[in-house]
Amino acid sequence: MRANKKAFLTSFPFLSDLVSKTSSGSGILPRPMEILLSQKDKGYDLLSNEDRIQMERKELAKRFVKAENLYDPKHLEDRPSTGSKRLSVLNQPGLSIVTDHLIDYPAPVNINYFWSFGSLAGICLGVQIATGIFLAMHYTPHIDLAFLSVEHIMRDVEGGWLLRYLHANGASMFFIMVYIHIFRGLYYASYVSPREAVWCIGVVILLLMILTAFIGYVLPWGQMSFWGATVITSLASAIPIAGDSIVTWLWGGFSVDNATLNRFFSLHYLFPFIIAGASIVHIAALHQYGSNNPLGLDASVDKMSFYPYCFVKDLVAWVSFGIFFSVFVYFAPNFLGHPDNYIPANPMSTPAHIVPEWYFLWVYAILRSIPNKLGGVAAILAVFVCLLALPWLQTSEVRSSLFRPIHKKLFWLLLADCLILGWIGMKPVETPYVEVGQIASVYFFVHFLVFTPILGRLEAKYLRNLGKA
Amino acid sequence: MLSALRQTRKATLQSLLRLRACAVGGTRDVTVTAHQVHSHVVVQDCDSSSCLGLDLGSSSWGRGFGFSFSGFSGQQRMKSSLPMTGTPSTDDMVSYANESGVSPTNFALKHPTERISYDNSGGHERLAGDPSKRAFTYLVLTGGRFIYAAGLRLLVLKFILSMQASKDVLALASLEVDLGGIEEGSTVTMKWRGKPVFIKHRTADEIAEADNVNIGELRDAEADDDRCLEKKWLVLIGVCTHLGCVPLSDAGDFGGWFCPCHGSHYDVSGRIRKGPAPLNMEVPEYKFLEEDKLLIG
């Protein structure tokens, strides 16, 4: 049977190169993919324990060829994976991590383009760090000079306008990529066991991103920068007993002033590297079990090597992202921003409508829905608690929404709810916006705390009764 | 289905040819009759493995086959002494279509021209050429890589060049000086590109003194004429060429400048006369915009 399969495969001229021609291994899959064959496929399950140990020793020996045998034609097929030689740079102990996690890494074959948003988010982080470092060469974090230094960057520094617009729009792009990435996780339930750690670290990254973006927006020292900082840092005064002391400590004074700006600059430089570290842990946690796939089923039956397949798919996503990003940077660089931030900060005069950047609007809406100050802060904390608890709130035995029609509809309802919250966030606190915002905020919590757990049980009951009726 | 039909026909014809070759022996003769030019394909050298030829007069398959069989195997192009006729007549195509059981329209669509060569080596008829389209694919991919390289180069350059002198720095690169206010015999110090510049309004005596020096005696031999555009005005970068201190004006043993750091003496033309400095004080690039206006840098 196996011989026939090999003969069939090798009859195609273009496939015969990929199929291993030696008798070692199963000889059906390309050499790197033989690691995915189970013991049963290789016929090892029928061996006795001693024989099995022998076979494993032989397999290991294949991966380590003695240097003097390396160029012996007899050992040609025994060279380790990636088609590279034992002495290749990528197979050395330090860099083998690149081979194991980026090149030979097995990925499910059926992942769609929504799986590219993770790497896109990583690219956005890289863009932000690179542009940020070069912007910091020209920026001055003093209240009298900050606004002017930003204009100096825009007008005098060579390519400064590009650096500034890449950084400002890059932040928006970063949030778009991450939000789509999160919604992918919600739809296909990638957060479910055994990937709870991946999800939780992701929520931590989101929190760090929100903090970093908020601090970064203060730095240009425009009207929105100043008043946004004042409003949000004042939230800390809601903390009982120590609230006011904490806020004074945070400000380094009696209001948002030079001390605040200086420390914000330092923290804004620091946080992205913490995000980078968390991202590495995020990927490490993912690689424990491998990626999820749109079907939500066990993908180990059919996987492909990350390079070149996922690389080339991601490349398409990256180029498309580049085009999307370029439209904003070159044709509408201030579309996502607020014109009031081009007015230098004036502590004596508050603008008529203080609005945070678009990516904060949904949280802002939830905050404002609760008339109580401490309640609003507690609601924001509750949002993150809900997100963190999600893997344990999920009770369904079915993972992907593809096979859960009710959950699918609830997912779209949640997405609509988040968009409504975002829209409410930019509206003034008046009827009917207040009421709509309150309903939307309540639904947000109801979705995670009520619908998600109940739905799993409902589905189980329905499936059980299906056979009976 | 059509190709299967053709296959059997081809096999039959080939066996027919072999029979004829055996019967006749040696090279076949070329037989062409004028009225059969369209439908005859003539064979010069009949080797049963290398050519596929038809003597349609003896075949029972009809006249229309000749042109289409030429397209069967790209590897087995027919050799003929007569040029291939162009597009066959409509009658030929219709008759062939009828014989192969396919409508004339369908047949015409599938065989638009005899100039397309087909390859039968894979077991079915397909276009001759690279089935994997490897060449095209590699071209597209490589073209993409050139574009990525260009984009990457541009991005890197934008970042590196952002560290270059910004426009406000470049704007201060030139300095305009109004010379009207400087009295004869006095020296004025101005800031240019972050460094002091000495502008000395020299008297006639000082000019004569500068010219009377034996140039061979100087550490850094330079004539006074080479150090100024107009003898009346001496423009120097006020930085000692020893280790960078700013020399004092109207000081020293030679009527020019004296550097207090390590004791270098400069004369009335700014040339080093005594002390550790190796070179004369540098003369910057400057020009006269008007009689009394200087542009330095």
Side-chain angles (χ1 to χ4, degrees):
Chain A
M1 172 67 171
R2 198 158 281 150
N4 287 344
K5 204 165 169 180
K6 208 156 136 185
F8 170 74
L9 284 172
T10 49
S11 69
F12 287 89
F14 45 96
L15 265 187
S16 59
D17 310 325
L18 290 174
V19 172
S20 164
K21 292 194 179 69
T22 57
S23 54
S24 57
S26 68
I28 298 172
L29 291 178
R31 275 303 302 258
M33 292 290 99
E34 279 180 51
I35 55 173
L36 299 172
L37 292 173
S38 68
Q39 301 242 316
K40 193 156 171 243
D41 292 328
K42 290 186 231 173
Y44 291 174
D45 59 335
L46 301 168
L47 297 172
S48 70
N49 278 340
E50 297 86 78
D51 289 346
R52 198 178 305 190
I53 292 170
Q54 286 272 359
M55 288 308 297
E56 282 184 15
R57 280 219 188 96
K58 266 198 231 163
E59 299 253 299
L60 272 173
K62 265 191 279 173
R63 299 190 82 80
F64 294 96
V65 181
K66 284 195 190 133
E68 60 261 25
N69 291 335
L70 202 60
Y71 296 100
D72 185 349
K74 192 159 63 82
H75 290 273
L76 211 67
E77 284 301 305
D78 289 346
R79 285 179 185 161
S81 49
T82 74
S84 52
K85 322 295 176 283
R86 173 75 178 91
L87 295 173
S88 157
V89 173
L90 286 175
N91 279 325
Q92 298 319 302
L95 285 178
S96 60
I97 205 169
V98 175
T99 318
D100 293 335
H101 288 274
L102 275 178
I103 300 178
D104 289 344
Y105 192 75
V109 295
N110 59 330
I111 48 177
N112 57 34
Y113 275 105
F114 284 110
W115 263 256
S116 298
F117 283 89
S119 66
L120 275 175
I123 285 188
C124 286
L125 179 64
V127 167
Q128 292 301 94
I129 290 179
T131 52
I133 289 175
F134 279 86
L135 281 170
M137 292 182 187
H138 307 278
Y139 172 76
T140 309
H142 189 280
I143 50 171
D144 299 329
L145 298 168
F147 190 88
L148 290 170
S149 69
V150 172
E151 283 306 304
H152 161 72
I153 289 169
M154 292 295 292
R155 293 159 198 261
D156 292 331
V157 174
E158 296 292 327
W161 57 271
L162 183 62
L163 287 173
R164 200 272 175 103
Y165 281 147
L166 279 174
H167 199 74
N169 289 292
S172 289
M173 293 297 120
F174 199 0
F175 276 96
I176 295 177
M177 300 301 123
V178 165
Y179 284 155
I180 297 178
H181 185 69
I182 293 174
F183 275 99
R184 182 280 311 261
L186 287 171
Y187 187 85
Y188 295 109
S190 308
Y191 52 80
V192 156
S193 173
R195 296 181 186 90
E196 301 99 326
V198 188
W199 176 262
C200 293
I201 296 170
V203 175
V204 168
I205 292 176
L206 177 66
L207 193 57
L208 284 169
M209 274 175 63
I210 287 176
L211 286 170
T212 309
F214 165 70
I215 293 174
Y217 193 66
V218 178
L219 300 180
W221 209 242
Q223 274 285 64
M224 279 303 162
S225 307
F226 179 86
W227 290 104
T230 305
V231 166
I232 301 299
T233 48
S234 300
L235 283 177
S237 64
I239 298 170
I241 307 165
D244 286 324
S245 320
I246 290 177
V247 175
T248 315
W249 168 78
L250 201 62
W251 284 339
F254 305 109
S255 66
V256 172
D257 205 352
N258 197 43
T260 324
L261 181 60
N262 253 308
R263 64 190 54 182
F264 273 12
F265 181 55
S266 172
L267 292 174
H268 188 68
Y269 209 119
L270 169 68
F271 275 25
F273 296 103
I274 303 180
I275 293 176
S279 304
I280 293 175
V281 180
H282 186 66
I283 297 175
L286 175 69
H287 281 197
Q288 283 276 356
Y289 297 100
S291 291
N292 190 17
N293 66 89
L295 294 174
L297 306 169
D298 179 21
S300 52
V301 293
D302 197 356
K303 287 202 174 178
M304 58 191 181
S305 60
F306 192 88
Y307 183 87
Y309 305 108
C310 294
F311 168 72
V312 89
K313 193 174 184 112
D314 281 351
L315 194 61
V316 171
W318 298 343
V319 171
S320 313
F321 165 70
I323 295 172
F324 180 67
F325 191 14
S326 300
V327 167
F328 282 98
V329 168
Y330 296 108
F331 297 107
N334 290 302
F335 177 75
L336 294 167
H338 198 293
D340 273 0
N341 218 31
Y342 278 100
I343 304 170
N346 183 357
M348 298 293 119
S349 146
T350 311
H353 294 118
I354 303 180
V355 186
E357 285 286 274
W358 69 268
Y359 35 81
F360 292 145
L361 291 174
W362 63 283
V363 190
Y364 195 54
I366 294 177
L367 170 74
R368 289 194 309 185
S369 296
I370 302 177
N372 183 309
K373 188 167 164 188
L374 183 59
V377 176
I380 295 185
L381 283 171
V383 166
F384 285 95
V385 166
C386 276
L387 285 174
L388 278 171
L390 185 58
W392 295 277
L393 292 168
Q394 164 79 292
T395 51
S396 174
E397 285 163 17
V398 180
R399 187 181 271 146
S400 166
S401 295
L402 283 179
F403 305 120
R404 305 177 64 197
I406 304 176
H407 187 263
K408 200 193 269 192
K409 292 186 176 48
L410 285 181
F411 167 85
W412 294 113
L413 205 52
L414 177 70
L415 180 60
D417 182 58
C418 287
L419 291 171
I420 290 172
L421 278 172
W423 171 66
I424 294 289
M426 68 167 91
K427 292 291 169 200
V429 187
E430 289 161 8
T431 333
Y433 304 121
V434 176
E435 285 77 19
V436 173
Q438 282 168 341
I439 296 169
S441 307
V442 166
Y443 176 75
F444 184 90
F445 292 104
V446 160
H447 180 275
F448 286 110
L449 296 172
V450 175
F451 288 165
T452 305
I454 286 183
L455 195 57
R457 302 225 179 84
L458 265 174
E459 283 172 358
K461 197 161 76 165
Y462 176 72
L463 285 171
R464 248 182 289 129
N465 291 337
L466 205 58
K468 292 177 195 166
Chain B
M1 190 204 77
L2 192 60
S3 50
L5 276 168
R6 283 207 202 122
Q7 279 287 67
T8 40
R9 272 180 211 142
K10 183 169 141 191
T12 324
L13 285 160
Q14 272 179 325
S15 49
L16 269 172
L17 278 165
R18 264 180 243 123
L19 279 171
R20 289 185 67 85
C22 294
V24 174
T27 2
R28 287 172 58 78
D29 284 333
V30 170
T31 19
V32 179
T33 44
H35 71 270
Q36 283 181 314
V37 122
H38 269 281
S39 42
H40 264 100
V41 173
V42 286
V43 172
Q44 256 182 325
D45 206 20
C46 188
D47 182 26
S48 58
S49 61
S50 71
C51 59
L52 175 62
L54 315 164
D55 183 355
L56 292 177
S58 55
S59 145
S60 58
W61 298 110
R63 290 172 298 122
F65 289 156
F67 77 94
S68 63
F69 279 149
S70 71
F72 259 178
S73 41
Q75 269 68 327
Q76 300 177 40
R77 268 243 167 254
M78 286 194 284
K79 298 173 220 173
S80 60
S81 63
L82 275 187
M84 281 296 188
T85 53
T87 322
S89 73
T90 317
D91 288 339
D92 290 338
M93 290 186 62
V94 167
S95 61
Y96 184 63
N98 288 332
E99 270 141 12
S100 55
V102 140
S103 78
T105 317
N106 235 334
F107 183 81
L109 284 170
K110 286 182 185 175
H111 304 90
T113 169
E114 63 196 353
R115 293 192 204 119
I116 300 172
S117 62
Y118 294 95
D119 182 2
N120 244 312
S121 57
H124 63 273
E125 188 182 82
R126 53 186 179 165
L127 285 173
D130 178 14
S132 69
K133 291 188 75 169
R134 180 177 47 189
F136 172 73
T137 307
Y138 284 3
L139 265 173
V140 171
L141 257 39
T142 311
R145 284 165 196 152
F146 274 103
I147 294 177
Y148 306 145
L152 206 65
R153 168 198 163 270
L154 181 66
L155 197 65
V156 167
L157 278 180
K158 282 285 181 194
F159 277 96
I160 293 175
L161 292 176
S162 75
M163 289 171 68
Q164 261 185 357
S166 53
K167 299 214 191 70
D168 56 333
V169 169
L170 292 173
L172 293 175
S174 296
L175 179 70
E176 260 186 42
V177 185
D178 186 12
L179 299 171
I182 306 175
E183 288 170 9
E184 226 189 2
S186 69
T187 310
V188 156
T189 310
M190 314 222 69
K191 189 170 172 189
W192 174 76
R193 293 190 183 174
K195 289 174 285 197
V197 169
F198 298 144
I199 303 170
K200 190 175 171 74
H201 189 171
R202 298 196 293 189
T203 60
D205 292 335
E206 285 171 335
I207 295 169
E209 197 186 322
D211 285 334
N212 278 341
V213 175
N214 182 356
I215 294 182
E217 277 175 6
L218 293 170
R219 184 176 298 164
D220 184 9
E222 242 186 322
D224 185 57
D225 293 324
D226 297 331
R227 291 176 59 77
C228 40
L229 291 175
E230 262 184 52
K231 304 284 268 180
K232 215 167 53 159
W233 296 102
L234 182 67
V235 182
L236 300 170
I237 295 181
V239 172
C240 181
T241 54
H242 180 227
L243 289 173
C245 295
V246 180
L248 302 166
S249 307
D250 301 317
D253 301 340
F254 295 85
W257 288 267
F258 172 70
C259 182
C261 290
H262 306 100
S264 297
H265 296 256
Y266 296 87
D267 68 7
V268 90
S269 180
R271 294 175 291 205
I272 182 68
R273 300 296 284 271
K274 195 161 92 173
L279 300 166
N280 302 335
M281 269 198 272
E282 191 185 335
V283 178
E285 196 184 306
Y286 68 96
K287 66 176 183 219
F288 283 91
L289 295 172
E290 287 162 18
E291 176 72 47
D292 266 349
K293 227 184 215 156
L294 204 63
L295 180 73
I296 308 178

